[in-house]
Amino acid sequence: MRKKTVKKKYSRFSIVMTSLLVCFLVGVTPGISAELAPAERCLDCHDDIWEEGMAQSFIHAPFQEQQCQACHVAAPFKRGKRLDNKQERSEIKWIARNSSPAEVHWFKFSVPEDHGTIFIEADGNLGKSVQDKVQLPSLDGLPRYDNDHQAPKISKVRVLEVERGLFVSATIGWETDEIANSTVNYGINKLNIVSPRESTLVTHHRVTLSGIKSSKTYQFQVVSEDLFGNKSTSEVFSLSTAKTFSSADEQSLAPIQDVIKIGMDTELFQSDGEYLAKITANQSVKLGLGSIPNTFSNPTYVEDVNTSEDIKHVLIYNELNLNILICYSCHRKYQESMSHPVDVYPKRGMVIPPEYTTLADGRITCMSCHQRHASNLDNRLIKASNRELCRGCHKDMA
């Protein structure tokens, strides 16, 4: 019979000290008043989740230790005056997300008439995240970004890496002389498979082909289309999956760059009656863009009246952080060769069962296979065995 984990009780002092340690490890700088906010405030409303989780056999350590902020909180707990982020974030209309790390991101978009501000969220390495808001001026006053009727020029097409974990994947990179989207046509005998199109606009392109076969030679060509539909297609190249490798790519510098605080600068243009935003960061980041109603264009604050206990809900990490990035802060080794690929789309024709959590756009996450807080199954898997887990998506497995 499997032995159940014993529920532990923690003193006020131990909770405070552990909170400070976790904040330090995940890069959060707590204020003097951060002491008991994490455990006490979360459990005030979510005690049912706590009780259910603690009755399971395998419990995630931060959950067991009541360190909710280690995985969930995108900003330090503060007392006194604070921004009422919860309601504002619930009103965000998300426009697009670029999941490929880069220093420069472009987005073409329009917003509803009652939305006057864009919300920018940048995700760095090790779960670090920053947000910014930019008021939208009238389109008429912005510089134009016009169609030059020239297709993007494709160069430096190369295979960046071939990885073999539970499945084989390969990453293709190339560059264009203007911003464009990214697609790869590929196959063994003919170019009969098309990768999910990366619709975000970049000059440095990076597409991962997942679910390909080992010890095979593939043909591939890359395709990029600019804002105005001008399209370029490369010549056909070959790709071997006989052995794994990783080329020296600038993205490998990202963990070192992440020690720098993320900074961003936004430039706005008009193009075909829509906004065009160029967002430049001081390091490689993944970026999300949304718009906010005019009622939230100016920050609103809640006064602390005679007490420091009147605190609104804290700012919660977005789904990319909660389901993938924050996991790497402790489980760094699972980014290596023996883990299932995450932050990738399912292969063509695959149907993901509803109990396998994905991002809103369908990308695979760590939580696609694992329970968040606790489980009666080893490694907190969502299925009783690795075989059953894999066959949930891979129906063709013997």
Side-chain angles (χ1 to χ4, degrees):
M1 187 180 245
R2 189 175 285 147
K3 185 177 180 180
K4 295 230 178 213
T5 303
V6 178
K7 183 192 261 190
K8 297 181 181 179
K9 292 186 177 180
Y10 293 85
S11 69
R12 183 184 181 96
F13 177 77
S14 65
I15 291 176
V16 172
M17 295 308 294
T18 308
S19 298
L20 294 174
L21 176 60
V22 171
C23 287
F24 173 77
L25 291 175
V26 301
V28 174
T29 305
I32 296 175
S33 57
E35 297 170 357
L36 289 176
E40 290 189 351
R41 284 186 170 75
C42 295
L43 295 184
D44 280 347
C45 297
H46 303 293
D47 59 323
D48 55 333
I49 297 176
W50 164 257
E51 293 296 337
E52 180 183 355
M54 290 305 295
Q56 306 298 308
S57 300
F58 298 93
I59 304 172
H60 192 219
F63 179 82
Q64 183 181 17
E65 297 169 3
Q66 299 184 357
Q67 299 305 317
C68 309
Q69 84 282 13
C71 299
H72 289 277
V73 178
F77 287 88
K78 295 180 180 178
R79 298 173 185 258
K81 291 185 178 181
R82 63 173 290 117
L83 185 66
D84 183 9
N85 286 297
K86 183 181 179 182
Q87 186 179 2
E88 183 177 13
R89 285 182 68 88
S90 70
E91 297 290 335
I92 294 173
K93 178 180 176 61
W94 291 102
I95 297 168
R97 180 170 291 278
N98 188 350
S99 59
S100 298
E103 293 183 4
V104 180
H105 298 261
W106 290 79
F107 296 93
K108 187 179 181 183
F109 63 95
S110 57
V111 297
E113 289 185 3
D114 62 339
H115 284 223
T117 302
I118 53 173
F119 181 87
I120 305 164
E121 189 161 54
D123 297 307
N125 294 281
L126 300 176
K128 291 186 177 180
S129 177
V130 298
Q131 298 82 33
D132 193 14
K133 291 188 292 185
V134 177
Q135 276 199 307
L136 290 173
S138 169
L139 270 173
D140 295 337
L142 292 174
R144 298 185 60 86
Y145 194 97
D146 292 324
N147 187 357
D148 61 4
H149 302 287
Q150 299 292 319
K153 293 181 180 179
I154 294 173
S155 62
K156 298 182 180 179
V157 180
R158 64 239 188 245
V159 180
L160 296 175
E161 61 186 13
V162 174
E163 290 187 322
R164 184 179 293 112
L166 295 177
F167 306 99
V168 179
S169 65
T171 300
I172 310 298
W174 69 97
E175 294 181 11
T176 52
D177 64 339
E178 62 175 308
I179 55 173
N181 59 31
S182 315
T183 310
V184 176
N185 302 326
Y186 65 102
I188 295 177
N189 297 315
K190 56 183 178 179
L191 304 175
N192 59 335
I193 306 173
V194 181
S195 69
R197 187 176 71 174
E198 290 285 350
S199 58
T200 47
L201 304 166
V202 295
T203 56
H204 181 90
H205 303 260
R206 186 181 176 100
V207 172
T208 297
L209 312 179
S210 58
I212 57 179
K213 298 178 180 180
S214 63
S215 302
K216 298 289 183 181
T217 298
Y218 283 81
Q219 305 174 53
F220 74 91
Q221 65 180 183
V222 304
V223 182
S224 283
E225 183 177 320
D226 70 12
L227 276 170
F228 307 100
N230 303 310
K231 182 189 293 187
S232 286
T233 302
S234 75
E235 59 184 294
V236 177
F237 298 87
S238 64
L239 156 68
S240 173
T241 59
K243 61 180 182 179
T244 62
F245 79 96
S246 179
S247 65
D249 184 74
E250 59 265 30
Q251 297 299 329
S252 64
L253 297 176
I256 299 174
Q257 292 175 326
D258 199 57
V259 300
I260 306 171
K261 182 179 179 180
I262 298 173
M264 293 184 292
D265 180 65
T266 302
E267 297 178 72
L268 294 172
F269 306 87
Q270 59 167 310
S271 178
D272 286 348
E274 292 186 290
Y275 287 99
L276 178 65
K278 178 185 180 182
I279 303 168
T280 305
N282 63 343
Q283 59 186 276
S284 290
V285 295
K286 299 180 180 182
L287 211 87
L289 181 73
S291 63
I292 303 174
N294 294 328
T295 52
F296 289 104
S297 293
N298 296 314
T300 56
Y301 290 84
V302 177
E303 290 286 350
D304 180 7
V305 182
N306 299 324
T307 176
S308 60
E309 298 301 318
D310 184 17
I311 300 178
K312 295 294 182 180
H313 199 282
V314 296
L315 179 63
I316 301 300
Y317 270 136
N318 63 28
E319 62 169 357
L320 185 67
N321 270 284
L322 281 174
N323 291 283
I324 300 177
L325 297 180
I326 199 64
C327 302
Y328 292 155
S329 62
C330 293
H331 304 287
R332 201 69 179 175
K333 66 178 181 179
Y334 292 104
Q335 284 183 280
E336 299 173 2
S337 60
M338 291 309 293
S339 69
H340 190 286
V342 296
D343 202 13
V344 297
Y345 294 95
K347 67 180 182 181
R348 190 176 63 168
M350 178 179 288
V351 177
I352 305 297
E355 65 269 26
Y356 291 63
T357 301
T358 63
L359 298 186
D361 61 3
R363 281 175 285 159
I364 304 298
T365 77
C366 304
M367 296 301 106
S368 298
C369 298
H370 299 275
Q371 296 285 359
R372 297 180 183 279
H373 296 138
S375 172
N376 281 324
L377 302 176
D378 197 14
N379 293 318
R380 302 197 331 274
L381 294 176
I382 63 172
K383 299 292 184 180
S385 68
N386 289 337
R387 180 181 177 84
E388 184 182 353
L389 180 69
C390 296
R391 294 193 66 179
C393 297
H394 300 274
K395 306 296 185 185
D396 55 344
M397 289 184 65

